[in-house]
Amino acid sequence: SASIGSLCADARMYGVLPWNAFPGKVCGSNLLSICKTAEFQMTFHLFIAAFVGAAATLVSLLTFMIAATYNFAVLKLMGRGTKF
């Protein structure tokens, strides 16, 4: 069990700060106050929005692949898929 005074996070590791930023670590009560801000809480909602967008893209790509495969099969079956 760790107390809040011994917890630290390096913001440079997550791309929040540039690598040459000094100090890059946030510890103790400063870390707790950052975690309670509305901006930090918004990151969860942004993650969910990005996940939903990626899922919608995946569904649309799968739909396209199925439709293209069906069209190719129909053209091959009708004999029109060999002439260009």
Side-chain angles (χ1 to χ4, degrees):
S1 66
S3 67
I4 190 65
S6 63
L7 293 176
C8 291
D10 192 352
R12 298 174 294 186
M13 194 164 108
Y14 300 105
V16 177
L17 295 174
W19 280 107
N20 57 358
F22 182 79
K25 289 202 289 187
V26 180
C27 296
S29 61
N30 290 337
L31 179 62
L32 184 63
S33 64
I34 288 173
C35 292
K36 288 185 177 182
T37 60
E39 291 86 5
F40 185 79
Q41 296 297 322
M42 179 58 80
T43 58
F44 175 73
H45 302 295
L46 293 174
F47 174 77
I48 296 299
F51 182 77
V52 168
T57 302
L58 183 63
V59 167
S60 65
L61 286 173
L62 287 174
T63 303
F64 170 76
M65 286 177 51
I66 291 169
T69 304
Y70 175 77
N71 287 338
F72 179 74
V74 167
L75 288 175
K76 276 293 204 185
L77 184 65
M78 297 179 87
R80 290 191 267 173
T82 59
K83 300 173 192 166
F84 290 107

